[in-house]
Structure formats: structure tokens, C-alpha cells
Amino acid sequence: MKKALILMGVLLIPILFIVLNNKDRGKVAKDNVTFRDKLSEYGLFKGKIADLVPNDQGTSYELASALFTDYADKRRVIFLPKGKKIVASDDGLPNFPDGTIIAKTFFYPQSANPQESKLLLLETRLLINENGQWNAAAYQWNSTQDEAFLLADSAAVPVLFLDGKSVKRQTNYIIPSRKDCIACHRQGDRILPIGPKIRNLNRVVFRDRDTIQQLEYLKRKDILDIQLLGKLSSLPSYDDLSQSTAHRARAYLEVNCAHCHNPMGTAYMTMLDLRFESPINETGIWLKQAKIIGRMSVLGEMHMPQKGTTVLHEEGIILIKRYLQSLK
């Protein structure tokens, strides 16, 4: 009898977990903006659009730890309505005013020489905040690199590129559909930005020929309303070897996995909570070590992350392996 009750508990607890966490999960609302056919129609960039120079309402930003996407580089810009500010009260996702556009352009340098600036632009993803609702879409750059067009579905682009070790590689780079965008950006019944949490913006950047703390820079530009800068936490860079393996690995899982693997994400039913702030004994990592590294290390239907990658991130796999081995 006792064994039967234990077995029943083992079976019912996951179901109960799913039911309780599913109570606030409705359908994601349809777009409340009409996306334009061409990226140029937004007027986000000055001069030649492929140079990606933001207009006067745009501010470039960098993340401490960034999503891995087949070794592609990214340029990130936040465009705010004139006179409006981002408001932050803690180290999580701040409040963005209506009319905010977040643009992220994915590209590959065409040379290992940093002095050569020619880029292969692949896609620009837009998040537009309208009446408190975020809307997501992707634009594919054409072969002449003078325009990007709205995608109705996903697209595959054959590319040759240099990875982090300057090794030549080839892949069919995948540009996501709206459904794919929602899969990663969904939290409950809403779409939310992933990268620009305050702790992930809390890093040093190079601006105006000098280094400055990015949050201080944004505050000085009068586009960020934030207090207690010195008391905010920061997300480590997972490439920073001066940081501990544990901190680097948790930062990696935060930006590459936690947008789905959290109680309100699309992979909530796995009972993995990979957010950086979650205590290790509440993450499920202890129980699912083999599955985590196993799915990171294979391609195809079982590969994780499921969206945005077609090649294995060798450096990330090594980092997570070392981290998991340290837990034993």
C-alpha cells in the first residue's frame, strides 16, 4: 500500500505542477500592429540602411551574456519615442514605453580582419511595444544587401562563416517565423523581450572614446530612469574566464535556455527552471544533468535550443560539461 501511494505521488506531482503553472497560460494575443513590408519603411537607420547607423531616437546597447546563434554577430538598438524613458526598479526586465522598437540584426563578418568592416547581413528581428503588448517579426536581407523584407514564414539561408576560432564553416542559417519568435519570447500569455534585463545590461561598454558603465551611460543620455546603480546585480559574461565556472555556466543557461525553461515559459512542463536567479536546488539541474548535456550535444529534432541554431556551440558544451561535472 505504501509503495502504491509513493508511486501515485511520483506520477501525480508532475501533473499537479503543470496544472498549477498552466492556470495563467492563455493564447498569445494576435499582433496589434501591422508590420511593414520593408525594414526601410520604419526609418530606423540613417543613410545607407546596411550601415545600421541608428536614427536620433535609437541607442545601441550590448549584453553581458548573449544568445548563441550559429556564431552570428548581432547589433542591438532600442528606439524610444521622443521624450520617453525606460523605467527600471530592479535588476530584471524594465518597463519600456509604448512605441518602443527593439531591433536586433544578425550578420557574419566577411573577414577575420577586424579592420575590414564588410558584413553579410542575414536578418533583422523587431519587437514593437504597442499599447502594452509586444509584437515580434523578422525581416530577411536581400542578396544586394540594400533592403530587408518581412517574412511570413521561416527561411533558410546557405552561408559560409568563421566561427569563434576563425575556422571556416558552412550551414543553412535559419531565420525564425513569427511562431518561432513567440515560442522563445512567450511568458504565459504575453510576448516579452529576453536579453535587455537590467542585470544583463549592467556591464562596461566603450562609448565616446572611453569606457563607461552602460547603465550610467543610458541614464546620462536621459533614456533610462533607474536608481541605486551601485546596488544592482550583474549577469556575468559566460566568456569571461576570470569568473567561476558555476557563474559562467548559469549565465549561459540563463540567456540560451531560461526563456523557455522557467515556470511561465513554453518548456515549463519539463520542470527545469534555468533562470540565473533560481537557487540550484530549485532548478532541476541536479536531476537532469545527462539530459541537459545530451540534448546540447546532438543536432536534429532532439537538439537544444530547438530554435536558432543549426551547428553545435562547442565552447558552450565544454562549459556546461565542466559545470555539471563540478556538481558531482
Side-chain angles (χ1 to χ4, degrees):
M1 182 66 179
K2 186 176 181 180
K3 288 183 178 180
L5 290 173
I6 293 173
L7 179 59
M8 185 177 295
V10 169
L11 294 173
L12 289 178
I13 287 173
I15 296 173
L16 181 62
F17 176 89
I18 291 171
V19 169
L20 291 175
N21 282 278
N22 199 41
K23 65 182 187 300
D24 296 321
R25 298 177 60 86
K27 290 184 178 180
V28 173
K30 294 181 179 180
D31 291 334
N32 65 352
V33 301
T34 300
F35 284 101
R36 299 167 189 176
D37 292 332
K38 301 177 182 179
L39 183 64
S40 61
E41 293 175 359
Y42 291 94
L44 300 177
F45 302 104
K46 297 178 181 178
K48 185 179 177 182
I49 187 174
D51 291 338
L52 302 177
V53 178
N55 66 25
D56 293 342
Q57 301 306 122
T59 301
S60 298
Y61 68 97
E62 299 171 39
L63 302 179
S65 279
L67 179 73
F68 171 76
T69 315
D70 287 357
Y71 294 99
D73 287 337
K74 295 110 175 177
R75 288 189 182 172
R76 303 171 176 84
V77 187
I78 295 177
F79 300 87
L80 297 177
K82 191 172 183 179
K84 298 295 183 179
K85 294 184 182 182
I86 302 166
V87 179
S89 57
D90 55 30
D91 64 358
L93 191 69
N95 292 317
F96 296 89
D98 281 344
T100 297
I101 298 178
I102 299 177
K104 182 165 66 169
T105 300
F106 295 68
F107 63 90
Y108 288 110
Q110 293 299 279
S111 171
N113 184 355
Q115 302 302 318
E116 297 182 21
S117 58
K118 186 172 177 56
L119 309 175
L120 173 62
L121 303 175
L122 298 171
E123 60 164 319
T124 296
R125 301 178 190 176
L126 296 185
L127 281 172
I128 300 179
N129 189 16
E130 184 68 24
N131 293 326
Q133 177 183 320
W134 287 97
N135 305 267
Y139 289 76
Q140 180 178 0
W141 286 84
N142 60 9
S143 59
T144 53
Q145 300 281 276
D146 57 7
E147 186 61 271
F149 295 88
L150 179 65
L151 281 180
D153 203 347
S154 61
V157 184
V159 292
L160 292 169
F161 66 95
L162 300 175
D163 67 14
K165 298 178 182 177
S166 296
V167 175
K168 288 185 178 180
R169 295 197 183 211
Q170 182 176 2
T171 192
N172 286 323
Y173 178 94
I174 302 298
I175 301 175
S177 65
R178 180 181 186 273
K179 183 178 179 181
D180 294 332
C181 292
I182 290 174
C184 288
H185 283 273
R186 176 173 180 166
Q187 298 296 300
D189 60 356
R190 298 189 298 161
I191 294 175
L192 293 175
I194 296 171
K197 294 177 181 176
I198 291 299
R199 59 176 168 270
N200 207 9
L201 295 171
N202 192 6
R203 55 159 292 173
V204 173
V205 295
F206 189 77
R207 297 288 185 270
D208 303 323
R209 300 181 182 180
D210 198 5
T211 54
I212 185 172
Q213 216 292 333
Q214 183 167 230
L215 296 179
E216 179 63 36
Y217 172 76
L218 297 175
K219 187 174 182 179
R220 288 184 187 180
K221 286 200 67 176
D222 205 31
I223 64 173
L224 176 64
D225 182 355
I226 190 170
Q227 306 297 323
L228 303 172
L229 284 177
K231 296 185 179 181
L232 293 168
S233 67
S234 60
L235 192 71
S237 167
Y238 58 73
D239 291 325
D240 184 359
L241 298 180
S242 69
Q243 298 279 342
S244 69
T245 297
H247 276 74
R248 292 173 58 215
R250 290 298 303 273
Y252 185 91
L253 294 172
E254 157 80 14
V255 296
N256 286 284
C257 312
H259 44 271
C260 291
H261 288 282
N262 73 78
M264 295 301 292
T266 54
Y268 69 98
M269 73 292 294
T270 65
M271 295 195 293
L272 270 175
D273 181 359
L274 299 180
R275 294 174 297 175
F276 185 79
E277 67 269 26
S278 297
I280 180 64
N281 62 336
E282 297 178 11
T283 62
I285 292 175
W286 286 98
L287 297 175
K288 301 199 176 185
Q289 297 179 45
K291 182 167 286 189
I292 290 171
I293 198 61
R295 297 194 67 177
M296 284 181 64
S297 304
V298 298
L299 292 175
E301 292 184 2
M302 297 301 293
H303 177 62
M304 283 289 175
Q306 289 184 333
K307 312 294 182 184
T309 55
T310 62
V311 300
L312 298 180
H313 188 194
E314 296 175 2
E315 296 82 358
I317 292 170
I318 291 171
L319 171 61
I320 300 304
K321 277 185 177 179
R322 288 175 177 169
Y323 170 60
L324 296 178
Q325 288 169 355
S326 74
L327 298 179
K328 295 178 180 179

